[in-house]
Amino acid sequence: MPQASPRGTYLQISESLRQKIETGKIREALPSEAELMRTYGVGRSTVGRALKALKADGVIDSVQGAGWYVAGTGDRRPLVERVTDLLRDQAVAVGDAFPSENELCDRFGVSRTAVRSAIAQLEGQGLIAMGANRRREVRALPPEQGDS
């Protein structure tokens, strides 16, 4: 993105994202902040200001650990809950391979940091663990929803 003026750059980015949302090019989750930094050739603070401007206008919402979403769309639950649902819904069995960090990043459109945090929580709950082949495995299945 051309640097017309340092103050105006974040407004240009927010307007570009707003147009992509209005035309349907972005329907639910926005690209990660790192991806936006690469796309627009700017730093984290500039991307952050652009996103905050869109949030202030009610165009997007942030979800801690999950990213930015077009207002009124997307699964807003914490990532660990969505990954736990993956274990419930995918007909996995104890001993099956658990998806890699890259697979989870791609599937949920979140950062590696968010995925690692969710994995740590699942390991803490005893649902997954590192297997003998240096790949995580399912060690226990989560209870059905509604069970305590």
Side-chain angles (χ1 to χ4, degrees):
M1 168 143 296
Q3 290 276 120
S5 76
R7 289 186 200 195
T9 303
Y10 82 96
L11 293 172
Q12 293 172 359
I13 294 169
S14 67
E15 189 55 36
S16 172
L17 291 170
R18 184 187 312 270
Q19 288 175 356
K20 289 178 181 180
I21 291 167
E22 289 172 357
T23 60
K25 290 180 182 171
I26 298 176
R27 297 181 185 272
E28 190 173 310
L30 274 70
S32 69
E33 290 185 27
E35 192 173 328
L36 292 172
M37 289 166 52
R38 281 191 301 275
T39 299
Y40 293 103
V42 297
R44 184 170 303 280
S45 64
T46 303
V47 167
R49 288 181 73 188
L51 294 171
K52 285 178 184 172
L54 289 172
K55 182 176 181 174
D57 290 344
V59 176
I60 62 173
D61 293 317
S62 65
V63 179
Q64 187 173 3
W68 293 88
Y69 289 86
V70 175
T73 65
D75 187 345
R76 300 297 199 281
R77 295 174 304 142
L79 181 60
V80 69
E81 288 181 22
R82 294 186 285 157
V83 176
T84 301
D85 282 351
L86 180 73
L87 291 175
R88 278 190 194 102
D89 301 340
Q90 294 295 317
V92 296
V94 172
D96 285 355
F98 186 75
S100 70
E101 289 179 6
N102 285 341
E103 292 167 341
L104 293 172
C105 288
D106 291 344
R107 179 178 189 125
F108 294 106
V110 297
S111 70
R112 185 173 299 276
T113 302
V115 165
R116 286 180 176 164
S117 174
I119 286 172
Q121 291 176 60
L122 293 172
E123 287 175 334
Q125 295 170 19
L127 297 177
I128 62 172
M130 192 61 74
N133 61 357
R134 303 268 316 138
R135 183 160 171 124
R136 288 182 182 89
E137 297 177 348
V138 176
R139 290 293 167 97
L141 296 177
E144 291 298 316
Q145 285 186 318
D147 292 354
S148 295

